[in-house]
Amino acid sequence: MDAEEFDAFYTASFTRVVGQVYAMIGDRDEAQECVQEAFARAWSHRAQLEKAHAPEAWVRTTAYRLAVSRWRRMVRSRRAPDRALQDGPPTAPPDPDRVALVAALRRLPEEQRRAIVLHHLADLPVAEVAAETGAPVGTVKARLSRGRAALALLLDEHHDELAEGAGHA
Amino acid sequence: MPDLFDPLRGTPDQLVRPALPADEVRRRGDRMRRRRTVAAATGAGLAVALVVSGGLALGRGLTNGAGPSPLPPATQAPSGTPEPSPGPEVGWRTSIPAGFPLADDLEDLVSSSEEELAGPGRDVRVFDVPFEACGRSTDLGAPVDTLAVRHTAPEWFDGRVLQVYGDDAAARGVLEELVGLYDACPKDRFEGPPDTVAVSTVRPVPHGEEGYLVTRTFSVDGPRVPGLELLHVVRTGNALLVSNLSNEGGATDANVALQLGERDPLVEDVATAMCVFAENGCDADGGDGGSLAAAVLGLDQLRDLTRGLSTSWTVVEEQRPTLSCQPVPLSTLEPREAAYTFFDGTGPDGTVNAQAAGAVLELPDVALAEQAFATASGWLRDCGDAGPGARPVAIAHDPVTQRTGWGPATWRVVERPAPEICTECDTGWIDAQGVVLVGNRLALVSLAWTGDLGSGADAAGSPMNDAVETAARLAAGSAPTSEGPAFGPRGLGPVHLGMSAADVESSGAVLEDSHGVGCTTFTAAPEGDPVLGFLTENQGVSVLLVDAEGILTPAGVGIGATEERVREAYPDAEDVPMGLFAPVPGFTDRQYTFAFEDGRLVEMALRLDRQSCVG
């Protein structure tokens, strides 16, 4: 993969992968930082990336693993904030529906949340979700089924709260 | 569901801040690649070795030394800050000397937007957060002097603190609290989601008067995740070194070994410099040499070498030149450590009729040892009347070059008159002396006895043939090199060419992923230093690669050797791009390949013919 190909891949995928990792971990700042780091690693390991069946999955998995690393949180507490990330103008505040969705996802068990995000947000077929998470296809299907049911319940609760709020307003 | 997830489908306003430009991302990736490990530098353009994706991640490995005192018992009482010592006792050094080499390896580092280097300095803050494990915590107490350095980069933290306490008991107390904290907490669970476990292992390391390594890795919901902490805690006298390296490695045991291979020598260098805080200070030149004492010629070996001599040997304390041909003291060769022994032999009439000496010099690296060997060999070749007080040379026999089982040797016999014995006879001193190169050590040996002038002409019958072999064997015995054949002709230690994957794994090696045309890579540490290997289903182990110092071929070639040295050892070597290619003596199906940078050997490979894993 040469520089031009990588740049095109990065430009096309970055925001999308940030959204996916954000959905998985529930922290926008952390998600963006981890995805940024994952792309730098992708370039650093571009030989591996070229051999990977799905480069975006490689980046997403790397970012996710960074995000869940307990060690990472400890190291961050010991050093100054990462100055490699640019501080640009503040972006718009998040959409309330997006916040609610992420909050609901956070209430799911880890495996269900990840499967839901990969299948419904990243649009991966079940087999690819299985490959990315290292779980059998049947297990992934079970996680999706339970995850959907739980998410629907959680989002129904959210909508009910909003309706009550509107009623009380 | 798809409608439900539309708010998360990656619109730019979701970003907390603008994404980095692509070229900046690539630049950061390039820095990671350079920083990753040592041997990536050996890959470019080399026809005889191929850099596996991720680089040839080989480090120097640990030295094999006996551990220090047993681990202090884990403290059961809640930890707390140790009380400051009541005050310095006479004899303990209470200030860190100027120029203490806490971070010589970071000398050339310049802070940038990505990397920060703070220190070394007394006001650098490193371990602001107490060390915590299993709900307990401890800190480094109240030193009387401190020096610290902090190097940070994305996913990289390297902090080192040298603290001096009032006395050794205070330093020991801090060490025991810190090491005991982790020793009492092999698994630290953090309730999820996700459930995270920090696994800590504690073991002694041969640094300082007492030293320990705490290794922490992490797993999330079962599998290991990126995250590694290497915490070295080393005490000498009243000084304590705490060194913490934290980064994104640690996901595999092989990675832990590789990182430790790079880190441990840095810690060892600092720990060596801490000798200034030892109760008796650092050893002076010409002292007993500490760990080298066992590597120098001893009385038993001397008696074995001189059974035909009618003399009775005793150890003497007199300091004198080891070689009568040396014009200057051996300390001019600048060893980092040295050991010497001197002997007098007494004849039946009670007079001294023989003398002997042995010395082992340990140089900082193989290259410097080679230079020292060349210098000492030159002394022997030029041997005339040598230094002040040396007897004149009556007969100088030709120098002899000899290949011992551990390295090359030069020796020579010169004969000097002995007028103190008789002035009307041909009795003189038969003065035999030699030097041998063993890795980064130089062994010197001399034997002198009275006899008829001219009787030293028989080179084949000279005791020096055996003396240099003995000196080499002793020097190699406790050196980082292995005794006898090391790298080749069959392999390294228990890992051989042709071995199957199952046998490789049984030897303790870690198999990694497949690469290229059905090649599996593995990392082994059969002699302490990591080795990278390749194997296929058809050939088994087909290539072994070494880039660590201290591992030698049977001809005594090791990393750091000059090209000239390698050609001397392998006269049938042929030139290939950036290196040499040499058949393994005695074999028709394998060869060595040697890669050089700036005229020095940086990597060597042992490979089967018709292997397909490397170029």
Side-chain angles (χ1 to χ4, degrees), chain A residues 30 33-34 37 41 62-79 82, chain B residues 32 35 129 151-159 182 188 190 194-200 214-220 223-231 244-251 255 259:
Chain A
E30 185 75 359
E33 190 168 326
C34 291
E37 181 73 11
R41 290 173 186 232
T62 301
Y64 175 73
R65 286 179 183 161
L66 285 172
V68 298
S69 164
R70 169 90 188 181
W71 154 84
R72 179 186 166 78
R73 286 194 279 280
M74 289 166 59
V75 171
R76 279 166 59 85
S77 74
R78 287 202 185 124
R79 62 173 175 85
D82 190 345
Chain B
M32 279 182 202
R35 191 175 66 219
V129 178
H151 170 218
T152 55
E155 309 307 339
W156 185 275
F157 173 87
D158 175 0
Y182 293 106
D188 202 354
F190 307 96
D195 284 346
T196 308
V197 174
V199 175
S200 300
V214 180
T215 305
R216 300 194 94 201
T217 56
F218 301 82
S219 61
V220 172
R224 285 257 283 268
V225 293
L228 176 66
E229 280 192 61
L230 298 176
L231 181 70
N244 183 315
L245 176 68
S246 300
N247 59 37
E248 75 276 22
N255 180 268
Q259 294 222 39

Coordinates of all heavy atoms in Angstrom, one line a residue, chain A residues 30 33-34 37 41 62-79 82, chain B residues 32 35 129 151-159 182 188 190 194-200 214-220 223-231 244-251 255 259:
Chain A
E30 N -12.3 9.5 23.4 CA -11.4 8.3 23.4 C -11.5 7.6 22.1 O -10.5 7.1 21.6 CB -11.9 7.4 24.6 CG -11.0 6.2 24.8 CD -9.7 6.5 25.5 OE1 -9.4 7.7 25.8 OE2 -8.9 5.6 25.7
E33 N -9.4 9.4 19.5 CA -8.0 9.3 19.8 C -7.5 7.9 19.4 O -6.4 7.7 18.8 CB -7.7 9.6 21.2 CG -6.2 9.7 21.5 CD -5.9 10.3 22.8 OE1 -6.6 11.1 23.3 OE2 -4.9 9.8 23.4
C34 N -8.3 6.9 19.8 CA -7.9 5.5 19.5 C -7.9 5.2 18.0 O -7.0 4.5 17.5 CB -8.8 4.5 20.2 SG -8.6 4.5 22.0
E37 N -4.9 6.8 16.5 CA -3.7 6.0 16.8 C -3.7 4.7 15.9 O -2.6 4.3 15.4 CB -3.7 5.6 18.3 CG -2.5 4.8 18.7 CD -1.3 5.6 18.8 OE1 -1.3 6.8 18.7 OE2 -0.2 4.9 19.0
R41 N -0.8 3.3 13.3 CA -0.3 1.9 13.4 C -0.5 1.2 12.1 O 0.3 0.4 11.7 CB -1.0 1.1 14.5 CG -0.6 1.6 15.9 CD -1.5 0.9 16.9 NE -1.2 1.4 18.2 CZ -0.9 0.7 19.3 NH1 -0.8 -0.6 19.2 NH2 -0.7 1.3 20.4
T62 N -8.1 -2.7 16.0 CA -7.0 -2.2 16.7 C -7.4 -1.0 17.6 O -7.0 -0.9 18.8 CB -5.9 -1.6 15.7 OG1 -5.5 -2.7 14.9 CG2 -4.7 -1.0 16.5
A63 N -8.3 -0.2 17.1 CA -8.8 1.0 17.9 C -9.6 0.5 19.1 O -9.5 1.0 20.2 CB -9.6 1.9 17.0
Y64 N -10.4 -0.5 18.9 CA -11.2 -1.0 19.9 C -10.3 -1.6 21.0 O -10.6 -1.4 22.2 CB -12.2 -2.1 19.4 CG -13.0 -2.8 20.5 CD1 -14.0 -2.1 21.1 CD2 -12.7 -4.1 20.9 CE1 -14.8 -2.7 22.1 CE2 -13.4 -4.7 21.8 CZ -14.5 -4.0 22.5 OH -15.2 -4.7 23.4
R65 N -9.3 -2.4 20.7 CA -8.4 -2.9 21.7 C -7.7 -1.9 22.4 O -7.5 -2.0 23.6 CB -7.4 -3.9 21.0 CG -8.0 -5.2 20.5 CD -7.0 -6.1 19.9 NE -7.6 -7.3 19.4 CZ -7.1 -8.1 18.5 NH1 -5.9 -7.7 17.9 NH2 -7.7 -9.1 18.1
L66 N -7.3 -0.8 21.8 CA -6.7 0.3 22.5 C -7.6 0.9 23.5 O -7.3 1.2 24.6 CB -6.2 1.4 21.5 CG -5.0 1.0 20.7 CD1 -4.8 2.1 19.6 CD2 -3.7 1.0 21.5
A67 N -8.9 1.1 23.0 CA -9.8 1.7 23.8 C -10.2 1.0 25.1 O -10.4 1.6 26.2 CB -11.1 2.0 23.0
V68 N -10.2 -0.3 25.0 CA -10.5 -1.1 26.2 C -9.3 -1.4 27.1 O -9.5 -2.0 28.1 CB -11.2 -2.4 25.8 CG1 -12.5 -2.1 25.1 CG2 -10.3 -3.3 25.0
S69 N -8.2 -1.0 26.7 CA -7.0 -1.3 27.5 C -6.9 -0.6 28.8 O -6.9 0.7 28.8 CB -5.7 -1.0 26.7 OG -4.6 -1.0 27.5
R70 N -7.0 -1.3 29.9 CA -6.9 -0.7 31.2 C -5.6 0.0 31.4 O -5.5 1.1 32.0 CB -7.1 -1.7 32.3 CG -6.8 -1.3 33.7 CD -8.0 -0.7 34.3 NE -7.6 -0.1 35.6 CZ -8.6 0.4 36.4 NH1 -9.8 0.4 36.0 NH2 -8.2 0.9 37.5
W71 N -4.6 -0.6 30.9 CA -3.2 0.0 30.9 C -3.2 1.4 30.3 O -2.6 2.3 30.8 CB -2.2 -0.9 30.2 CG -1.1 -0.2 29.7 CD1 0.0 0.1 30.4 CD2 -1.0 0.5 28.4 NE1 0.9 0.9 29.6 CE2 0.3 1.1 28.4 CE3 -1.8 0.5 27.3 CZ2 0.7 1.8 27.3 CZ3 -1.3 1.3 26.2 CH2 -0.1 1.9 26.2
R72 N -3.9 1.5 29.2 CA -3.9 2.8 28.5 C -4.4 3.9 29.4 O -3.9 5.0 29.5 CB -4.8 2.6 27.3 CG -4.9 3.9 26.5 CD -5.9 3.7 25.4 NE -6.3 4.9 24.8 CZ -5.6 5.6 23.9 NH1 -4.4 5.1 23.5 NH2 -6.0 6.8 23.4
R73 N -5.4 3.6 30.2 CA -6.0 4.6 31.1 C -4.9 5.0 32.1 O -4.8 6.1 32.5 CB -7.2 4.1 31.7 CG -8.4 4.1 30.8 CD -9.7 3.9 31.5 NE -10.0 2.5 31.9 CZ -10.4 1.6 31.0 NH1 -10.7 2.0 29.8 NH2 -10.7 0.4 31.4
M74 N -4.2 4.0 32.6 CA -3.2 4.3 33.6 C -2.1 5.1 33.1 O -1.6 6.0 33.7 CB -2.6 3.0 34.2 CG -3.6 2.2 35.0 SD -3.1 0.5 35.3 CE -1.6 0.8 36.2
V75 N -1.6 4.8 31.9 CA -0.5 5.6 31.3 C -1.0 7.0 31.0 O -0.3 7.9 31.2 CB -0.1 4.9 30.0 CG1 0.9 5.8 29.2 CG2 0.6 3.6 30.3
R76 N -2.2 7.1 30.5 CA -2.7 8.5 30.2 C -2.7 9.3 31.5 O -2.5 10.5 31.4 CB -4.1 8.4 29.6 CG -4.1 8.1 28.2 CD -5.5 7.7 27.7 NE -6.5 8.7 27.9 CZ -6.7 9.7 27.0 NH1 -6.0 9.8 26.0 NH2 -7.6 10.6 27.3
S77 N -2.9 8.7 32.6 CA -3.0 9.5 33.9 C -1.6 9.9 34.3 O -1.5 10.8 35.1 CB -3.6 8.6 35.0 OG -2.7 7.7 35.4
R78 N -0.6 9.3 33.7 CA 0.8 9.7 34.1 C 1.5 10.7 33.2 O 2.6 11.1 33.4 CB 1.7 8.4 34.1 CG 1.4 7.5 35.2 CD 2.6 6.6 35.5 NE 2.2 5.6 36.5 CZ 2.3 4.3 36.3 NH1 2.8 3.9 35.2 NH2 2.0 3.5 37.2
R79 N 0.8 11.0 32.0 CA 1.5 11.9 31.1 C 0.6 13.0 30.7 O -0.6 13.0 30.8 CB 2.1 11.1 29.9 CG 1.0 10.5 29.1 CD 1.7 9.9 27.8 NE 0.7 9.2 27.0 CZ -0.1 9.7 26.1 NH1 -0.1 11.0 25.9 NH2 -0.9 9.0 25.4
D82 N -2.0 14.1 25.0 CA -1.4 13.8 23.7 C -1.4 15.1 22.8 O -2.5 15.5 22.4 CB -2.1 12.7 23.0 CG -1.3 12.2 21.8 OD1 -0.4 12.9 21.4 OD2 -1.6 11.1 21.3
Chain B
M32 N 6.7 5.3 14.7 CA 6.4 4.1 15.4 C 7.3 3.0 14.9 O 7.9 2.2 15.6 CB 5.0 3.6 15.3 CG 4.0 4.3 16.1 SD 2.4 3.6 15.8 CE 1.4 4.9 16.4
R35 N 10.8 3.4 15.9 CA 11.0 3.2 17.4 C 10.8 1.7 17.8 O 11.2 1.3 18.8 CB 10.0 4.1 18.1 CG 10.2 4.2 19.6 CD 9.2 5.2 20.2 NE 7.8 4.8 20.1 CZ 6.8 5.7 19.8 NH1 7.1 6.9 19.6 NH2 5.6 5.2 19.8
V129 N 1.8 9.7 40.8 CA 0.7 8.9 41.3 C 1.3 7.7 42.1 O 2.2 7.1 41.6 CB -0.1 8.3 40.0 CG1 -1.2 7.4 40.5 CG2 -0.6 9.5 39.2
H151 N 10.5 10.4 29.8 CA 10.4 10.5 28.3 C 9.0 10.0 28.0 O 8.6 8.8 28.3 CB 11.5 9.6 27.7 CG 11.3 9.3 26.2 ND1 11.5 8.1 25.6 CD2 10.9 10.2 25.2 CE1 11.3 8.3 24.3 NE2 10.9 9.5 24.1
T152 N 8.2 10.8 27.3 CA 6.8 10.4 26.9 C 6.6 10.6 25.5 O 7.2 11.5 24.8 CB 5.8 11.2 27.7 OG1 6.0 12.6 27.6 CG2 5.8 10.8 29.2
A153 N 5.8 9.7 24.9 CA 5.4 9.8 23.5 C 4.0 9.1 23.5 O 3.6 8.5 24.4 CB 6.4 9.1 22.6
P154 N 3.3 9.2 22.3 CA 2.0 8.5 22.2 C 2.2 7.0 22.6 O 3.0 6.4 22.0 CB 1.6 8.7 20.8 CG 2.3 10.0 20.4 CD 3.6 10.0 21.1
E155 N 1.4 6.6 23.6 CA 1.5 5.2 24.0 C 2.8 4.8 24.5 O 3.2 3.6 24.4 CB 1.0 4.2 22.9 CG -0.3 4.6 22.3 CD -1.4 4.8 23.2 OE1 -1.4 4.4 24.4 OE2 -2.4 5.5 22.9
W156 N 3.6 5.7 25.1 CA 4.9 5.4 25.6 C 5.3 6.2 26.8 O 5.1 7.5 26.8 CB 5.9 5.7 24.4 CG 7.3 5.3 24.7 CD1 8.3 6.1 25.4 CD2 8.0 4.1 24.4 NE1 9.4 5.4 25.5 CE2 9.3 4.2 24.8 CE3 7.6 3.0 23.7 CZ2 10.2 3.1 24.6 CZ3 8.5 2.0 23.5 CH2 9.8 2.1 24.0
F157 N 5.6 5.6 27.8 CA 6.1 6.3 29.0 C 7.3 5.6 29.6 O 7.3 4.4 29.8 CB 5.0 6.2 30.1 CG 5.4 6.8 31.4 CD1 5.3 8.2 31.7 CD2 5.9 6.0 32.4 CE1 5.7 8.7 32.9 CE2 6.3 6.5 33.6 CZ 6.2 7.9 33.9
D158 N 8.4 6.4 29.7 CA 9.6 5.9 30.2 C 10.0 6.8 31.4 O 10.4 8.0 31.1 CB 10.7 5.9 29.1 CG 12.1 5.4 29.6 OD1 12.2 5.2 30.8 OD2 13.0 5.4 28.8
G159 N 9.9 6.4 32.6 CA 10.3 7.2 33.7 C 11.3 6.5 34.6 O 11.2 5.3 34.8
Y182 N 3.5 -5.6 44.7 CA 3.1 -6.3 43.5 C 3.2 -7.8 43.7 O 2.5 -8.6 43.2 CB 4.0 -5.9 42.3 CG 3.7 -4.5 41.8 CD1 4.6 -3.5 42.1 CD2 2.5 -4.2 41.2 CE1 4.4 -2.2 41.7 CE2 2.3 -2.9 40.8 CZ 3.2 -1.9 41.1 OH 2.9 -0.6 40.7
D188 N -4.8 -8.4 39.7 CA -5.6 -7.2 40.2 C -6.8 -7.1 39.2 O -6.6 -6.8 38.1 CB -4.7 -6.0 40.1 CG -5.2 -4.9 41.0 OD1 -6.2 -5.1 41.7 OD2 -4.5 -3.9 41.2
F190 N -10.3 -5.5 37.9 CA -11.0 -4.3 37.8 C -12.4 -4.7 37.2 O -12.5 -5.1 36.1 CB -10.3 -3.3 36.9 CG -8.9 -3.0 37.3 CD1 -7.9 -3.7 36.6 CD2 -8.5 -2.1 38.3 CE1 -6.5 -3.5 37.0 CE2 -7.2 -1.9 38.6 CZ -6.2 -2.6 38.0
P194 N -15.4 -3.2 30.5 CA -15.1 -4.6 30.5 C -14.3 -5.0 31.7 O -13.7 -4.2 32.4 CB -14.3 -4.7 29.2 CG -13.5 -3.5 29.2 CD -14.4 -2.4 29.7
D195 N -14.4 -6.3 32.1 CA -13.7 -6.8 33.2 C -12.2 -6.9 32.8 O -11.9 -7.5 31.8 CB -14.1 -8.2 33.6 CG -15.4 -8.2 34.3 OD1 -15.8 -7.1 34.8 OD2 -16.1 -9.2 34.5
T196 N -11.4 -6.2 33.5 CA -9.9 -6.2 33.2 C -9.1 -6.8 34.3 O -9.5 -6.6 35.5 CB -9.5 -4.7 33.0 OG1 -10.4 -4.0 32.1 CG2 -8.1 -4.6 32.5
V197 N -8.1 -7.5 33.9 CA -7.2 -8.1 34.9 C -5.8 -7.7 34.6 O -5.3 -7.8 33.5 CB -7.3 -9.6 34.9 CG1 -6.2 -10.3 35.8 CG2 -8.7 -10.1 35.2
A198 N -5.1 -7.2 35.6 CA -3.7 -6.9 35.5 C -2.9 -8.0 36.1 O -3.1 -8.3 37.3 CB -3.3 -5.6 36.2
V199 N -2.1 -8.7 35.4 CA -1.3 -9.8 35.9 C 0.1 -9.3 36.2 O 0.8 -8.8 35.3 CB -1.2 -10.9 34.9 CG1 -0.3 -12.1 35.4 CG2 -2.7 -11.5 34.7
S200 N 0.6 -9.4 37.4 CA 1.9 -9.0 37.8 C 2.8 -10.2 38.1 O 2.4 -11.1 38.9 CB 1.9 -8.1 39.0 OG 1.1 -6.9 38.7
V214 N 9.3 -6.2 38.0 CA 7.9 -6.4 38.0 C 7.4 -6.2 36.6 O 7.6 -5.2 36.0 CB 7.1 -5.4 39.0 CG1 5.6 -5.7 39.0 CG2 7.7 -5.4 40.4
T215 N 6.7 -7.3 36.1 CA 6.2 -7.3 34.7 C 4.7 -7.3 34.9 O 4.1 -8.2 35.5 CB 6.7 -8.5 33.9 OG1 8.1 -8.5 33.9 CG2 6.2 -8.3 32.5
R216 N 4.0 -6.3 34.3 CA 2.5 -6.3 34.3 C 2.0 -6.3 32.9 O 2.3 -5.5 32.0 CB 2.1 -5.0 35.0 CG 2.5 -4.8 36.4 CD 1.8 -3.7 37.1 NE 0.6 -4.2 37.8 CZ -0.4 -3.5 38.2 NH1 -0.5 -2.3 37.8 NH2 -1.4 -4.0 38.9
T217 N 1.1 -7.3 32.7 CA 0.3 -7.3 31.4 C -1.1 -7.3 31.8 O -1.5 -7.5 32.9 CB 0.7 -8.6 30.7 OG1 0.4 -9.8 31.5 CG2 2.1 -8.7 30.3
F218 N -2.0 -7.2 30.7 CA -3.4 -6.9 31.0 C -4.2 -7.8 30.0 O -3.8 -8.1 28.9 CB -3.7 -5.4 30.7 CG -2.9 -4.5 31.6 CD1 -1.6 -4.1 31.3 CD2 -3.5 -4.0 32.8 CE1 -0.9 -3.3 32.1 CE2 -2.8 -3.2 33.6 CZ -1.5 -2.8 33.3
S219 N -5.4 -8.2 30.6 CA -6.3 -8.9 29.7 C -7.7 -8.3 30.0 O -8.0 -7.9 31.1 CB -6.3 -10.4 30.0 OG -6.6 -10.6 31.4
V220 N -8.5 -8.4 28.9 CA -9.9 -7.9 29.0 C -10.8 -9.0 28.6 O -10.7 -9.5 27.5 CB -10.1 -6.7 28.1 CG1 -11.5 -6.3 28.0 CG2 -9.2 -5.5 28.5
P223 N -8.9 -12.5 26.9 CA -7.7 -12.4 26.0 C -6.8 -11.2 26.5 O -7.2 -10.2 27.0 CB -8.2 -12.1 24.6 CG -9.7 -12.4 24.7 CD -10.1 -12.3 26.1
R224 N -5.5 -11.4 26.2 CA -4.5 -10.4 26.5 C -4.8 -9.2 25.5 O -5.2 -9.4 24.4 CB -3.1 -10.9 26.2 CG -2.5 -11.8 27.3 CD -1.6 -11.1 28.2 NE -0.3 -10.9 27.6 CZ 0.8 -11.7 27.8 NH1 0.6 -12.8 28.5 NH2 1.9 -11.4 27.3
V225 N -4.6 -8.0 26.1 CA -4.7 -6.8 25.3 C -3.4 -6.0 25.3 O -2.5 -6.3 26.1 CB -5.8 -5.9 25.8 CG1 -7.2 -6.5 25.6 CG2 -5.6 -5.5 27.2
P226 N -3.2 -5.1 24.4 CA -2.0 -4.3 24.4 C -1.9 -3.6 25.7 O -2.8 -3.0 26.3 CB -2.2 -3.3 23.3 CG -3.1 -4.0 22.3 CD -4.0 -4.8 23.2
G227 N -0.7 -3.6 26.3 CA -0.4 -3.0 27.5 C 0.7 -3.7 28.3 O 0.6 -4.9 28.5
L228 N 1.7 -3.0 28.6 CA 2.9 -3.6 29.2 C 3.5 -2.6 30.2 O 3.7 -1.4 29.8 CB 3.9 -4.1 28.2 CG 5.2 -4.6 28.8 CD1 5.0 -5.9 29.5 CD2 6.2 -4.8 27.6
E229 N 3.9 -3.1 31.3 CA 4.7 -2.3 32.3 C 5.8 -3.1 32.7 O 5.7 -4.2 33.1 CB 3.9 -1.9 33.5 CG 2.9 -0.7 33.3 CD 2.4 -0.2 34.7 OE1 3.3 0.2 35.5 OE2 1.2 -0.3 34.9
L230 N 7.0 -2.5 32.5 CA 8.2 -3.1 33.1 C 8.8 -2.2 34.2 O 9.2 -1.1 33.9 CB 9.3 -3.3 32.0 CG 8.9 -4.2 30.8 CD1 10.0 -4.2 29.8 CD2 8.7 -5.6 31.3
L231 N 8.7 -2.7 35.4 CA 9.2 -1.9 36.5 C 10.4 -2.5 37.1 O 10.3 -3.6 37.7 CB 8.0 -1.8 37.6 CG 8.3 -1.0 38.8 CD1 8.4 0.5 38.4 CD2 7.2 -1.2 39.9
N244 N 10.5 2.7 35.1 CA 9.2 2.2 34.6 C 9.1 2.4 33.2 O 9.2 3.6 32.7 CB 8.1 2.9 35.4 CG 6.7 2.4 35.0 OD1 6.4 2.2 33.8 ND2 5.8 2.1 36.0
L245 N 8.9 1.4 32.4 CA 8.6 1.5 31.0 C 7.2 1.0 30.8 O 6.9 -0.1 31.1 CB 9.6 0.7 30.1 CG 9.3 0.7 28.6 CD1 9.5 2.1 28.0 CD2 10.1 -0.3 27.9
S246 N 6.3 1.9 30.2 CA 4.9 1.5 29.9 C 4.7 1.8 28.5 O 4.9 2.9 28.0 CB 3.9 2.2 30.8 OG 4.2 2.0 32.1
N247 N 4.1 0.8 27.8 CA 3.7 1.1 26.4 C 2.7 0.1 25.9 O 2.1 -0.6 26.7 CB 5.0 1.0 25.5 CG 5.7 -0.3 25.5 OD1 5.0 -1.3 25.6 ND2 7.0 -0.3 25.4
E248 N 2.4 0.1 24.6 CA 1.3 -0.7 24.1 C 1.7 -2.1 23.8 O 0.9 -2.8 23.2 CB 0.8 0.0 22.8 CG 1.6 -0.2 21.6 CD 2.8 0.9 21.5 OE1 3.2 1.4 22.6 OE2 3.3 1.1 20.4
G249 N 2.9 -2.5 24.2 CA 3.3 -3.9 23.9 C 2.6 -4.8 24.9 O 1.6 -4.5 25.5
G250 N 3.2 -6.0 25.0 CA 2.7 -6.9 26.1 C 1.6 -7.9 25.7 O 1.2 -8.7 26.5
A251 N 1.2 -7.8 24.4 CA 0.1 -8.7 24.0 C 0.5 -10.1 23.9 O -0.4 -11.0 23.9 CB -0.6 -8.2 22.7
N255 N 6.6 -10.6 22.7 CA 6.8 -9.1 22.8 C 7.4 -8.7 24.1 O 8.2 -7.8 24.2 CB 5.5 -8.4 22.5 CG 5.6 -6.9 22.5 OD1 5.4 -6.3 23.6 ND2 6.1 -6.3 21.4
Q259 N 10.9 -6.7 24.5 CA 11.0 -5.4 25.1 C 12.0 -5.5 26.3 O 12.7 -4.6 26.6 CB 9.6 -4.9 25.5 CG 8.7 -4.7 24.3 CD 7.9 -3.4 24.5 OE1 8.4 -2.4 25.0 NE2 6.7 -3.5 24.1

